[in-house]
Amino acid sequence: MKFNDKVVYQIYPKSFQDSNGDGLGDLRGVIQRLDYLQSLGVDYLWLTPFFPSPQHDNGYDVADYCAVDPRFGNMTDFDELVKTAGDKGMKIMLDMVLCHTSVDHEWFQKAINGDEHYQRYYILRDGRSPGEPPTNWQCAFGGSAWKWQPQIGKWYLHLHDVSQPDLDWTNPEVRKELANVVKFWRDKGVMGFRFDVINLISKPEIFKDDTAGLGRRLFADGPHVHEYLRELVQNAGIEGMITVGEMASTDLENCIRYSNPNNHELSMSFSFHHLKVDYKNGNKWELMPPDIKALKKIFEEWQVGMQEGNGWNAVFYNNHDQPRIVSRFGDDQKYLKESAKMLAASIHFMRGTPYIYQGEEIGMTNAKYSSIEQYRDVESLNYYKILLNQGKSKNEALKIIGERSRDNSRTPMQWSSEKFAGFSIVDPWLSSPENYKTINVETEENDINSVLNFYKTLVKFRKENKIVQDGDIKFIERENDNVIAYIRTLNGKELIIICNFKGNNTNLTEKTLSDYTKNGYKKILGNYDELAENLRPYEVVIFEN
Ligand code: GLC
């Protein structure tokens, strides 16, 4: 199955639409907004977890895989969502968090209460000496990846929050249980799956210290991951469905294997290298402006590499873990519209399946909070403390969190200029930036030049043009520091996408814009009206021959 003409829309239910006035989004809220989603032209709705959970990591700490958390509604609401979305031509994709459970999950509770069967579900080890964890691995949210469990006298591994113990995939019982979870949702009419940090499921055979890092390179893309994925897809009966794996710290070779149809693993993969080009020294918590040349190199490596290896990319900039791209690689003040449109076009014409994260299509920005009390995310709160401990002042730490917090993407969807942005009738669980008064769906629906209408054009264009779905890709302007540009080709036809990633005028280095028009290329889309001599700030031009 190919998903080259499809577009996925990601919904973070907690922040999408509150239907019952408790300040939290819910499934009925999603149902209320289905007409809007249909108007975007998207094919799949990926919902992040709404399963029962203590919410230490906003639902990625699952306490029961096969139920709906009452905060989000109930199973009848879910069934209605699947049915109503289906009637409107959209399919539901769910987020499967199979690398770890919550500490509240029945399996973990049984394990720590001495049930040996369930102890084999988790990764429990002796320390290297009393009080010393088995290895020096660090968890993703700061601190050791091991936690001492006094009831059973062992350490358990948690690659994420301490409330998220990792499951032991070497145990066939675990793999069977998890395949049954996926099957349960498939049988309820779910038509696709996103697998959370799925390339971390196969741990190394020998647990040893990482002498050069935090451990991740020892457990990413582990020894049996491909085999486990094939087995999961087969046992859950989901081959042919859209499946996307979130691949942490992965590489091209593995992603080709995950997504090449001949391997019967997944239909596509998320990789994150392009979202680290503003990490100073590779450190998320050190700021620097994005390195556009590095970004271009990464796009080229992945786009061309996946093409050569017959793999398939999920193309995206935003999700619930990433700051808003317009605040990050664009300019959310002076050139909000221009940069939001350019960034959208820069990936929507690529080879892959585009993902739109809620609010991206209207140019939603970072949260712009002024105090740490406004943040909710476990990672942000942990790192705020870590940064202070490293000697940063409160202001410096707040500035870094302001740029890098995952809460930047989790603020409520901005539906209108009404109080609470039309998301809720009460103060929501996470507050909105003030700019909801101008950046919102209602305003943009009435403006033909809005970011929202540009997104609709992009989605429609992909559906109607085989060249975007199937064309080959080649990068041009490779030495240009300011511009990212590529050509898609199919049966002698060409589509050329030229993006100025800078907030000032810039030139092309290989050909001028007028060289294109003189040679019979026609501008078919852009974010400024007439063509000029140079590319203007954040200009995107799309030519076709
Ligand atoms: C993924 C999710 C993220 C979560 C983590 C642990 O990266 O996208 O939100 O915190 O996995 O489940």
Side-chain angles (χ1 to χ4, degrees):
M1 262 297 266
K2 281 166 98 185
F3 299 95
N4 47 358
D5 59 339
K6 304 288 186 262
V7 177
V8 181
Y9 187 89
Q10 184 191 351
I11 296 177
Y12 199 68
K14 203 171 181 173
S15 298
F16 193 61
Q17 177 67 59
D18 173 15
S19 75
N20 60 353
D22 62 358
L24 289 180
D26 43 53
L27 296 181
R28 297 218 70 81
V30 179
I31 297 173
Q32 282 173 15
R33 296 295 185 178
L34 286 172
D35 285 338
Y36 167 74
L37 296 165
Q38 188 185 30
S39 76
L40 293 174
V42 297
D43 303 279
Y44 286 92
L45 307 176
W46 150 28
L47 274 73
T48 61
F50 49 73
F51 316 113
S53 156
Q55 299 278 319
H56 292 299
D57 185 22
N58 272 353
Y60 282 91
D61 44 333
V62 180
D64 180 352
Y65 285 114
C66 296
V68 177
D69 191 313
R71 274 175 276 223
F72 291 106
N74 56 40
M75 206 49 102
T76 314
D77 298 331
F78 180 74
D79 292 338
E80 187 180 326
L81 172 63
V82 173
K83 165 90 180 53
T84 321
D87 290 346
K88 295 180 192 293
M90 293 171 291
K91 299 186 170 93
I92 301 296
M93 252 172 107
L94 289 196
D95 210 321
M96 295 284 106
V97 191
L98 307 182
C99 184
H100 45 258
T101 66
S102 157
V103 283
D104 287 6
H105 196 287
E106 186 190 354
W107 301 338
F108 192 73
Q109 287 302 315
K110 286 189 172 157
I112 60 171
N113 284 310
D115 185 330
E116 286 178 11
H117 174 76
Y118 288 102
Q119 287 178 356
R120 287 190 292 275
Y121 276 38
Y122 292 93
I123 301 176
L124 307 175
R125 291 283 189 281
D126 292 323
R128 70 178 112 206
S129 57
E132 279 278 313
T135 66
N136 68 347
W137 302 352
Q138 297 286 297
C139 79
F141 304 147
S144 172
W146 295 97
K147 168 102 165 97
W148 173 246
Q149 193 62 48
Q151 285 110 301
I152 51 170
K154 299 259 184 216
W155 297 80
Y156 70 81
L157 179 69
H158 62 90
L159 296 182
H160 293 84
D161 186 50
V162 31
S163 67
Q164 295 167 305
D166 279 57
L167 285 162
D168 186 354
W169 278 66
T170 62
N171 180 348
E173 292 268 351
V174 167
R175 303 203 299 274
K176 205 164 123 207
E177 295 254 27
L178 297 175
N180 283 338
V181 167
V182 178
K183 207 149 143 221
F184 171 85
W185 291 105
R186 182 208 70 174
D187 291 346
K188 291 196 79 62
V190 170
M191 297 293 278
F193 294 92
R194 179 255 189 195
F195 294 103
D196 190 62
V197 288
I198 201 69
N199 69 327
L200 305 185
I201 56 176
S202 173
K203 313 301 193 260
E205 254 128 53
I206 299 168
F207 283 24
K208 55 174 194 212
D209 276 358
D210 183 358
T211 48
L214 305 177
R216 189 155 273 209
R217 62 202 179 90
L218 301 180
F219 43 76
D221 305 313
H224 300 289
V225 62
H226 295 280
E227 160 197 332
Y228 291 161
L229 278 175
R230 263 194 304 276
E231 182 191 278
L232 175 70
V233 165
Q234 201 176 47
N235 290 348
I238 57 168
E239 199 164 2
M241 284 191 184
I242 187 168
T243 49
V244 56
E246 184 198 27
M247 306 302 178
S249 311
T250 189
D251 59 24
L252 177 62
E253 192 197 327
N254 274 291
C255 283
I256 290 173
R257 286 179 68 190
Y258 293 128
S259 64
N260 182 319
N262 301 330
N263 292 348
H264 307 280
E265 296 181 27
L266 302 177
S267 43
M268 62 195 85
S269 59
F270 285 122
S271 59
F272 296 89
H273 304 272
H274 64 299
L275 295 172
K276 296 185 178 164
V277 297
D278 54 358
Y279 290 7
K280 196 165 170 192
N281 307 317
N283 179 353
K284 171 168 178 178
W285 308 100
E286 277 193 58
L287 304 179
M288 80 172 194
D291 177 344
I292 300 307
K293 228 171 156 185
L295 180 65
K296 172 160 47 189
K297 261 190 84 184
I298 294 166
F299 276 146
E300 177 167 15
E301 181 194 343
W302 282 79
Q303 284 284 311
V304 176
M306 290 290 252
Q307 167 169 287
E308 284 168 358
N310 194 23
W312 194 250
N313 296 289
V315 291
F316 73 106
Y317 280 127
N318 292 281
N319 67 25
H320 63 290
D321 295 328
Q322 298 292 330
R324 293 285 181 181
I325 203 64
V326 69
S327 302
R328 196 175 170 187
F329 293 178
D331 178 343
D332 67 10
Q333 300 295 312
K334 203 165 160 205
Y335 295 111
L336 175 85
K337 262 189 179 184
E338 291 82 355
S339 59
K341 290 179 186 176
M342 180 282 286
L343 288 163
S346 71
I347 55 173
H348 272 254
F349 291 96
M350 282 185 180
R351 182 182 175 279
T353 300
Y355 283 64
I356 301 172
Y357 175 69
Q358 67 179 50
E360 171 186 340
E361 76 280 16
I362 53 171
M364 274 178 64
T365 69
N366 278 352
K368 306 188 183 287
Y369 295 150
S370 52
S371 114
I372 192 69
E373 275 70 51
Q374 291 172 284
Y375 289 93
R376 299 285 173 268
D377 178 31
V378 56
E379 183 196 52
S380 307
L381 300 174
N382 283 354
Y383 268 95
Y384 181 69
K385 285 192 212 122
I386 293 173
L387 292 168
L388 293 183
N389 285 339
Q390 287 171 355
K392 298 259 186 314
S393 71
K394 285 188 173 165
N395 272 346
E396 285 166 336
L398 201 58
K399 182 167 187 321
I400 296 174
I401 300 294
E403 299 271 332
R404 297 291 146 89
S405 172
R406 305 194 297 179
D407 283 336
N408 282 316
S409 56
R410 299 176 180 183
T411 61
M413 179 71 183
Q414 296 172 189
W415 294 105
S416 72
S417 57
E418 272 166 58
K419 203 164 179 205
F420 308 127
F423 163 74
S424 177
I425 48 167
V426 298
D427 227 340
W429 72 281
L430 188 69
S431 50
S432 297
E434 274 306 297
N435 61 27
Y436 75 85
K437 290 178 187 138
T438 49
I439 304 173
N440 64 64
V441 170
E442 200 176 84
T443 309
E444 298 197 24
E445 275 180 336
N446 296 320
D447 166 9
I448 64 155
N449 283 319
S450 63
V451 176
L452 177 60
N453 279 312
F454 192 78
Y455 266 86
K456 288 185 188 172
T457 307
L458 295 179
V459 174
K460 190 157 176 273
F461 195 91
R462 171 169 290 265
K463 307 217 152 299
E464 292 172 353
N465 291 277
K466 281 248 169 268
I467 190 165
V468 189
Q469 300 167 19
D470 296 333
D472 278 346
I473 190 162
K474 191 177 115 194
F475 281 70
I476 54 175
E477 292 287 325
R478 296 172 73 228
E479 297 309 315
N480 194 325
D481 286 345
N482 304 332
V483 169
I484 297 185
Y486 54 89
I487 309 188
R488 302 294 307 273
T489 50
L490 186 72
N491 305 328
K493 258 198 88 75
E494 286 183 6
L495 198 63
I496 301 185
I497 293 84
I498 300 171
C499 305
N500 177 11
F501 269 73
K502 291 287 151 88
N504 33 43
N505 289 348
T506 192
N507 288 315
L508 294 180
T509 47
E510 292 173 5
K511 283 181 188 164
T512 63
L513 289 174
S514 42
D515 287 340
Y516 283 104
T517 46
K518 274 186 233 139
N519 287 323
Y521 290 87
K522 202 168 78 247
K523 176 179 162 185
I524 54 162
L525 193 66
N527 55 352
Y528 286 81
D529 286 343
E530 303 295 313
L531 270 185
E533 269 306 283
N534 302 316
L535 287 166
R536 285 154 289 187
Y538 301 106
E539 180 159 9
V540 56
V541 181
I542 292 112
F543 286 121
E544 124 191 309
N545 64 351

